[in-house]
Amino acid sequence: MILRSLRSLAAFMPVALAAQPSAPSPVSAPLRELPWGQLNVLHTTDTHGWHAGHLQEPSFSADWGDYVSFAARMKEEADRKGVDVILVDTGDRVEGNGLYDGSKPKGNYTYDIFKQQEIDVICSGNHELYKKHTADNEYLKTAPNFKGNYLASNIDIIDPKTKERVPLGARYRKFTTKNQGIRVLAFGFLFDFTGNYNNTFVQKVAETIEEKWFQDAIRDKELDLILVTGHVGLRDDSTGDAYTSIYKTIRGVRWDMPIQFVGGHTHIRDYRTFDSKAYGIESGRYLETIGFASIDGLKTKKAEKSAASLRFDRRYIDNNLFSYHHHTGLNESTFPTDQGRNTSKLIREAREALDLDRLHGCAPQDFWVNRAPYPSDESMFTWLQEHVLPDVIVDEKRSEVPRLAIINTGAMRFDIFKGPFTKDTAYSVSPFTGGFRYFPDVPYSAASKVLDLLNNGSPVLEQGDPRLRSWMLAPPEQLSRTGVNAFAGVAPQVQDSHLGIKQQQPLGKPELTPGYTTKDDLGEDGDDTLHSEIKFYKVPNCVQAEIGFPAGEEKPESVDLVFMDFIQPWVILALLFAGQDCKAEDVMTYMDGESMTRLLVSWIEENWSKDC
């Protein structure tokens, strides 16, 4: 393990400012070097609109413009080394941050911001397909912005103009790298997603890989590498066994072809070994991580004799300027490119136009999605259950009726940090626009069984409808937490309202900041930055608040069963298993469709001071 830090870790002082004015400066830390190879992949995934970076977290405070500069500088270094760098993005670029969700129409600024980066292979995630307008924008904006590089191996769409069913993008592409002349065949898949809007069609992966075009493509003799990208979890326990199926199909035809998988969707850092010539990388979430995957020993026309054995490796780069400067050997004045600066300027102007720094209130403490046990005073869901939901879940027309209010934990996408809670924070924590629904006057004996079925009855519910997978209700980070990769969260390295700068640490053993400590199939040395470990706690699929119940131990005979609209199919199935006859036609709108985001903001404005 090679460790080095900028200027020998002589002093732990703040380094160059991030491009966004309100972003904290990163704190210096010991770093691992990048394991360069013949082919080097820079990977982003599940950015969900976080293109301004993390404005309360120094470890991830670089913005998309900084990444544009980083990629350009890495390509310059590759040219000097005579090797290649390619960029990959594997979807879920929308929904989850004020920069995307705060505009009307949504994404009014982010499509132009995102296209400033040159990406060699890009594909869709599931979030691009939930709604008609996001799917249309993927077809009319993102795909043309990356024309020829946008891949959709198993997605079709209804063309908004011609009304014909067409591929969302090219099924695959073949290209040759600039310096090494590596002949690459690339695909772009989505897992077997069933929640898409009806203007799109997601073909099952197992069916796609049996089609003639795919079988012909993998039999191409003029290849040095197959690159399988997709919005697909690397492990079979998350989004099915899509990548295992693709791997087995390719291996059945090309037993010794090097294969690089690039995944997404589960919001984690991970690296999987398929065999000695096939590996996969996944690179986290929310622009916290830039994945770096390298391959050395490839046999190409320029290198007829391969190395004694192929070498695959990886790094997970913390998205901040300290890491960027170190890995490029540059500094605050030499690192930025004109394109990067211009992109950061676009982001600043968009944030100002959207008034994303508008203050709603000051959080009195941290509230965690997965970094605190549930129930506990530090848990986001205990806070919602005990304080927020009882105050905000009330329909004036039904205010006298006792009610059970259920929300799924996956609807809360990010932590709340002590300090300013802004318009941007609201979208980061609760970005989804869906409202609330209810079944009126449900016998308590049946309604009281629903929560347990949602949290513990997944085999029963999935038997009733295989499409209703329980993991869809919980935070995505929980999908793959059963194997080798122990989750490590991210710490807000901010103390009170000022940066928590730690100065003059001992040179021998510097104090580590909390952060990612990833364990994957290659070991524990994948993270570029050394951090202290953060604990991860699983949370239930859903939480529930009892509202308007009689005093004492007495339970009402019947209740209004209120729930977020996203979980309606699960609630209906759970009620049926609880012995209550119901159907979708019986569901009614609650509170005139108020969204969780608006309710959360209204509660904060009424209950938290604005004196941070």
Side-chain angles (χ1 to χ4, degrees):
M1 180 174 63
I2 301 174
L3 300 180
R4 200 177 85 193
S5 66
L6 194 61
R7 298 295 181 254
S8 303
L9 289 175
F12 271 51
M13 295 291 290
V15 296
L17 293 175
Q20 293 308 303
S22 57
S25 298
V27 179
S28 57
L31 297 174
R32 297 181 174 99
E33 300 299 327
L34 299 181
W36 284 82
Q38 284 173 280
L39 182 64
N40 307 276
V41 179
L42 293 177
H43 176 220
T44 51
T45 189
D46 295 270
T47 50
H48 286 285
W50 286 74
H51 303 117
H54 290 238
L55 304 183
Q56 292 178 289
E57 297 178 278
S59 288
F60 316 116
S61 54
D63 67 16
W64 193 251
D66 298 320
Y67 179 47
V68 169
S69 295
F70 180 64
R73 299 309 189 194
M74 290 290 283
K75 288 182 178 180
E76 291 171 359
E77 180 64 17
D79 288 345
R80 285 190 288 269
K81 293 176 179 290
V83 298
D84 290 296
V85 168
I86 63 172
L87 272 65
V88 174
D89 183 86
T90 50
D92 272 13
R93 294 169 287 274
V94 304
E95 298 183 336
N97 188 279
L99 194 61
Y100 174 84
D101 294 285
S103 65
K104 294 181 181 179
K106 290 181 181 294
N108 193 42
Y109 299 96
T110 53
Y111 292 102
D112 285 339
I113 290 168
F114 196 86
K115 75 177 184 181
Q116 303 306 313
Q117 183 66 281
E118 295 180 2
I119 300 176
D120 299 283
V121 179
I122 182 171
C123 64
S124 175
N126 56 300
H127 275 263
E128 280 83 4
L129 306 185
Y130 272 118
K131 297 180 179 180
K132 183 180 186 300
H133 73 271
T134 51
D136 285 346
N137 282 337
E138 196 70 358
Y139 179 69
L140 297 174
K141 294 183 178 181
T142 307
N145 286 343
F146 298 94
K147 189 174 183 179
N149 298 352
Y150 187 98
L151 304 182
S153 297
N154 64 328
I155 307 173
D156 287 348
I157 188 170
I158 301 297
D159 187 306
K161 298 176 182 178
T162 67
K163 308 304 179 184
E164 296 179 354
R165 176 173 171 170
V166 296
L168 180 61
R171 297 302 192 205
Y172 65 94
R173 71 171 295 218
K174 183 179 176 181
F175 61 96
T176 301
T177 63
K178 174 184 176 183
N179 295 319
Q180 287 281 310
I182 302 167
R183 299 166 298 178
V184 181
L185 172 66
F187 300 99
F189 282 93
L190 175 63
F191 69 92
D192 293 346
F193 180 53
T194 58
N196 51 303
Y197 194 79
N198 62 14
N199 68 326
T200 57
F201 307 85
V202 181
Q203 185 179 35
K204 290 184 177 181
V205 172
E207 296 174 1
T208 303
I209 59 181
E210 294 300 321
E211 291 193 344
K212 185 177 185 300
W213 70 264
F214 184 84
Q215 292 290 329
D216 288 346
I218 62 176
R219 284 172 168 80
D220 187 339
K221 299 300 183 183
E222 300 297 314
L223 297 178
D224 303 310
L225 173 74
I226 294 179
L227 176 66
V228 182
T229 76
H231 197 73
V232 180
L234 295 181
R235 309 285 169 175
D236 291 350
D237 61 353
S238 55
T239 47
D241 62 352
Y243 272 177
T244 297
S245 298
I246 295 170
Y247 161 73
K248 289 180 178 179
T249 299
I250 295 173
R251 274 290 172 261
V253 176
R254 310 297 293 271
W255 66 271
D256 65 343
M257 173 62 64
I259 310 171
Q260 177 70 63
F261 288 87
V262 185
H265 183 63
T266 62
H267 288 199
I268 63 170
R269 295 178 173 187
D270 198 10
Y271 197 79
R272 178 182 175 185
T273 302
F274 290 85
D275 64 32
S276 63
K277 295 184 178 181
Y279 293 81
I281 189 171
E282 186 174 346
S283 305
R285 62 175 191 175
Y286 306 157
L287 202 58
E288 294 170 349
T289 304
I290 305 300
F292 180 90
S294 63
I295 312 170
D296 211 22
L298 289 168
K299 183 178 181 181
T300 71
K301 284 189 173 181
K302 291 189 176 183
E304 288 296 337
K305 293 183 179 180
S306 66
S309 63
L310 278 171
R311 179 184 64 80
F312 288 72
D313 211 335
R314 82 287 180 238
R315 283 287 180 270
Y316 312 108
I317 302 171
D318 279 5
N319 180 47
N320 63 67
L321 286 174
F322 180 76
S323 287
Y324 284 176
H325 292 171
H326 174 86
H327 294 309
T328 58
L330 301 172
N331 57 39
E332 183 176 358
S333 61
T334 59
F335 171 78
T337 64
D338 289 342
Q339 181 79 352
R341 287 193 182 97
N342 290 336
T343 304
S344 295
K345 182 173 182 287
L346 288 175
I347 296 170
R348 286 197 298 273
E349 291 172 347
R351 286 185 53 80
E352 291 170 1
L354 294 171
D355 194 21
L356 293 182
D357 289 327
R358 187 204 314 163
L359 184 67
H360 293 305
C362 301
Q365 65 172 75
D366 299 325
F367 294 102
W368 307 110
V369 174
N370 286 112
R371 283 183 51 189
Y374 169 83
S376 72
D377 290 341
E378 292 76 33
S379 169
M380 168 92 70
F381 305 107
T382 299
W383 170 66
L384 290 170
Q385 176 183 339
E386 296 182 355
H387 300 283
V388 180
L389 296 181
D391 287 350
V392 301
I393 304 299
V394 54
D395 189 314
E396 294 302 324
K397 299 186 293 292
R398 306 281 296 180
S399 60
E400 301 303 317
V401 181
R403 50 209 174 272
L404 291 176
I406 301 175
I407 65 170
N408 65 302
T409 54
M412 299 293 108
R413 305 295 279 189
F414 203 64
D415 308 307
I416 295 175
F417 300 139
K418 180 180 179 180
F421 187 99
T422 64
K423 179 181 178 182
D424 194 23
T425 312
Y427 285 115
S428 300
V429 172
S430 176
F432 304 124
T433 58
F436 286 82
R437 304 288 184 265
Y438 79 110
F439 284 106
D441 304 317
V442 179
Y444 179 78
S445 59
S448 61
K449 297 176 182 177
V450 169
L451 182 68
D452 185 58
L453 284 165
L454 295 177
N455 286 333
N456 303 306
S458 57
V460 176
L461 297 182
E462 289 175 19
Q463 185 177 6
D465 188 340
R467 297 171 299 174
L468 301 183
R469 307 290 296 277
S470 63
W471 60 260
M472 298 172 70
L473 300 173
E477 293 81 2
Q478 296 190 173
L479 293 180
S480 294
R481 299 288 51 81
T482 58
V484 296
N485 188 339
F487 177 91
V490 289
Q493 299 155 18
V494 179
Q495 299 173 352
D496 298 321
S497 60
H498 305 285
L499 297 183
I501 303 303
K502 301 182 184 299
Q503 300 184 20
Q504 298 299 329
Q505 299 298 327
L507 288 177
K509 293 184 178 180
E511 182 177 342
L512 301 180
T513 56
Y516 280 100
T517 53
T518 309
K519 301 172 185 175
D520 59 28
D521 282 3
L522 288 192
E524 302 180 15
D525 62 349
D527 302 306
D528 83 319
T529 307
L530 271 69
H531 288 293
S532 59
E533 187 174 3
I534 296 173
K535 290 184 178 180
F536 173 87
Y537 299 90
K538 284 203 169 185
V539 296
N541 296 331
C542 299
V543 295
Q544 172 181 277
E546 296 181 350
I547 308 171
F549 274 40
E553 299 296 322
E554 183 183 357
K555 301 297 183 182
E557 291 188 8
S558 64
V559 296
D560 284 350
L561 183 60
V562 185
F563 48 89
M564 301 183 80
D565 60 359
F566 175 78
I567 68 173
Q568 177 176 312
W570 286 269
V571 171
I572 291 174
L573 197 55
L575 275 175
L576 290 172
F577 275 105
Q580 181 68 21
D581 186 28
C582 65
K583 54 187 181 298
E585 290 76 13
D586 300 327
V587 176
M588 304 176 69
T589 299
Y590 200 77
M591 298 184 296
D592 294 323
E594 279 281 4
S595 71
M596 188 66 201
T597 308
R598 288 194 294 269
L599 294 173
L600 187 64
V601 167
S602 67
W603 189 93
I604 286 169
E605 289 181 335
E606 292 179 10
N607 290 274
W608 288 350
S609 78
K610 291 189 176 182
D611 183 11
C612 298

